[in-house]
Amino acid sequence: MAPADSFPRQHARTRRFTLGAPRTITVTDGGLVRFCRSRGGDDPVNLLWELDPTTGVETVVIDPTALTVDESDLPPAERARRERAREAAGGVVSYAGDEDRVVTALAGRLVVAERGDDGWAVREVETDGAVFDPRPVEGGRIAHVSGPTLAVDGRVLCAEDDDHVSWGSAEFVAAEEMGRGGGYWPSPSGERLLVTRVDVSPIPVWWISSPATPAAGPTSIRYPHAGAANADVRLFVVDAADGARTEVEWAREEFEYLADAGWRDAEHPWVLVQSRDQRVVLLLDIDPSTGETTERHRITDEVWVELIPGSPSFVEERLVTVEDRGAARRVCVDGVPLTGDDLQVRSILAAADDGVWVTASTEPTEIELWRFGLDGGAERITAGGGVHTAVVGGDVVVTGRASLDQHGTEVFVTVAGGRVATIESHAETPLVDAAPRLIRAGEREIRTAVLLPADADPEAKLPVLLDPYGGPHAQRVIASRNAHAASQWFADQGFAVVVADGRGTPARGPAWERAVQGDLAAPVLDDQVDALHAAAEAEPRLDLSRVAIRGWSFGGYLAALAVMRRPDVFHAGIAGAPVTDWELYDTHYTERYLGHPATDPEAYARSSVVADAARLDRPLLIVHGLADDNVVAAHTLQLSQALLEAGRPHEVLPLSGVTHMTPQEVVAENLLLLQLDFLRRALGLPGSGLAQSGEDVSKGSA
């Protein structure tokens, strides 16, 4: 067991140093800043706060601890939402409101905060059933989802006597892959709502069991795996007064993904739909009286169209989108690009008459804020490197900055460009002091981080640990100190740690991301090998005769792939929650890269790990949560079965009751220690077994 002040325990206790940091930030129309934050770096209960930029004073709006909220039994919809959003905290994790009223759901209870002369008054509103995703509607009303129904002020607007149908919620692939966590959109006037109707009956039924609790029955889930049917998702315009519905019409057989929807103003709703092969996205204007749609804008790509946060946005009649054009992901206004090849746009933050605010990268390890005029002109808002986020509300901008020269993220508020306040973070400082060296590795200039022990002998050869994610939609090599804390802890145990973002990862341009089309294995693995060899040239202390690799999710897939296909390079691997057979992963993610398994079976075969089982002759530890509903445990069990049938020794660590997130403190702590022990055993290093015997192998450098 680790000592009380060890990094593994701190890393687990602080939920990877996220607790106590300001998050879920919004700016009201009146320029007030709201955010969630717990009272300490190991406190998982978020309060809702409000900051007045004119005075710098913070006020508590909602304190869940004063309401005796019990989150031990969250409603299934809220538990699923947190899993999809990778939300590790509790208390107030989402909210909505206007200047003088805020609503949230706490453990399924509807809580309303209203501003009065003496401050905020908080009350609970009785409802029939557990509440999910509450939002204010103009006129003082509150809409919310309760199970499969949508209600306004407790009156059910949308319901159906069918266990497979729900109203106002996002289906699995929308929440997990498309970034759409909700399923209804009130109009600005509050008179009508756009509401999804989701029928999951076409989706195959899968079962998740709890072997550690044999008296408990298995849980059924509807999982849309590659090649299978998706949910039947429809959209309706619903009258908030009487619940009258008008179905929105589009070619749903061709465009079965509902990516987003909303209102340009009180009279003009819109919907964004995507084809099953993801090569076409349509923006459709909706006639709210008839449900008929008119195509306003079309985006096509011969490989796939990427869905970008904040796109589309509207400035009166003008349309703002982010589209892949040539070598770059660009901001476009009415289809005309505003930005050039030197900038990779990541998201639209806000669009107004004074310009379009975006996050973008000229260097993929960094994210900056930019503002572009609707008719030209560019302004870089941030400078000095690092990773920036922002929320824009008129003249009020809340900016977060993480960098290699500081721990955590600094959050500050500017008004009309001048800094007026800082939002304090209560997050803990890691016990390790990450010091990554960022290099451009090999001919492809793969962005790579190299981390060495803080107190190692400068002449000693070091065993190597690759610590990648390596797949689409995520980066590990970024200019943020906290992002490298766990890798630095492994380095301080005597390893040279190498982290590389190869082909398929974001912010290197469309061609770089699309290099994994039809093959999720060879390009990403080749880039890890190339980055390793380039790192060894840059740092001669790397011992290439002792190389291990560890990873989770796509990184776990990559780790298993590495020891099977390149045993000449990798001598041990730890595969956490790996995707081993891509036909078992979801439609929207998998088919984007590999196509449909019925028409592109070769892509699935060349990307499979299970097919390589007979090639394993290196130590492999596979770790999987048995309650994982994203990468289900069948991936690990089928790989283990194939390895056993091929007579290949390996180790499997099943985690009872654990999902894809591994949020449990004891589990997260001991996973790091057990991985360290496995690496030492597998590479023949001194110290194996110490993690279990209680000796301090885990204390990082202060």
Side-chain angles (χ1 to χ4, degrees), residues 3 14 122 224 236 249 268 279 289 310 332 341 350 382 396 420 474 476 534 557 598 604 646 665 688:
T14 62
V122 180
F236 289 78
E249 302 290 345
H268 296 96
R279 293 173 183 172
S289 300
C332 299
D341 287 343
T382 55
V396 179
V420 298
R476 292 271 285 110
Y557 160 72
Y604 286 80
E665 182 176 323
S688 61

Side-chain angles (χ1 to χ4, degrees), residues 298-515:
R298 177 183 292 248
I299 306 174
T300 62
D301 190 282
E302 62 182 12
V303 184
W304 70 74
V305 176
E306 196 75 29
L307 299 175
I308 306 299
S311 176
S313 291
F314 304 89
V315 182
E316 296 181 348
E317 294 299 319
R318 306 194 72 175
L319 170 65
V320 183
T321 57
V322 176
E323 303 178 27
D324 291 340
R325 301 283 188 92
R329 185 158 292 156
R330 305 183 182 188
V331 175
C332 299
V333 175
D334 294 329
V336 179
L338 279 183
T339 55
D341 287 343
D342 58 340
L343 196 69
Q344 302 295 339
V345 177
R346 293 172 177 259
S347 69
I348 296 176
L349 301 172
D353 290 337
D354 65 348
V356 183
W357 291 74
V358 305
T359 58
S361 299
T362 55
E363 158 57 41
T365 61
E366 300 175 351
I367 303 176
E368 302 289 353
L369 307 181
W370 291 74
R371 182 170 61 184
F372 297 92
L374 292 172
D375 296 306
E379 179 185 8
R380 184 172 179 170
I381 306 298
T382 55
V387 177
H388 294 81
T389 58
V391 176
V392 180
D395 287 340
V396 179
V397 179
V398 185
T399 302
R401 178 181 183 267
S403 69
L404 293 174
D405 57 17
Q406 66 183 31
H407 290 287
T409 300
E410 177 192 20
V411 181
F412 54 90
V413 182
T414 61
V415 177
R419 186 180 297 199
V420 298
T422 297
I423 301 178
E424 182 181 359
S425 174
H426 300 155
E428 290 190 15
T429 298
L431 290 172
V432 299
D433 194 7
R437 175 187 174 189
L438 303 187
I439 65 173
R440 300 184 179 189
E443 293 182 358
R444 288 189 288 276
E445 296 189 339
I446 301 164
R447 298 318 193 260
T448 303
V450 181
L451 301 98
L452 302 176
D455 54 359
D457 180 350
E459 303 299 323
K461 282 284 196 177
L462 297 169
V464 184
L465 174 63
L466 271 71
D467 193 12
Y469 177 80
H473 277 199
Q475 289 176 262
R476 292 271 285 110
V477 185
I478 57 175
S480 166
R481 184 179 293 188
N482 272 31
H484 300 278
S487 295
Q488 184 65 57
W489 177 75
F490 275 102
D492 288 345
Q493 310 315 309
F495 292 87
V497 179
V498 177
V499 187
D501 286 343
R503 281 169 289 177
T505 57
R508 289 288 300 270
W512 182 267
E513 293 187 27
R514 287 161 173 75

Side-chain angles (χ1 to χ4, degrees), residues 26 28 34 48-50 61-62 92 94-105 110-115 120-123 134-136 142:
T26 59
T28 71
R34 292 185 183 140
L48 179 63
W49 303 76
E50 182 177 83
V61 180
I62 299 175
V92 183
S94 64
Y95 62 92
D98 51 32
E99 213 66 28
D100 297 315
R101 186 177 57 155
V102 183
V103 298
T104 190
L110 177 58
V111 175
V112 180
E114 295 170 314
R115 193 193 307 274
W120 288 94
V122 180
R123 60 186 174 89
R135 305 184 209 173
I142 300 172

Side-chain angles (χ1 to χ4, degrees), residues 218-251:
T219 300
S220 67
I221 63 171
R222 296 276 179 170
Y223 193 91
H225 63 88
N230 281 305
D232 178 12
V233 181
R234 305 184 183 210
L235 187 67
F236 289 78
V237 181
V238 179
D239 190 290
D242 59 14
R245 307 171 194 164
T246 302
E247 184 169 0
V248 178
E249 302 290 345
W250 76 89

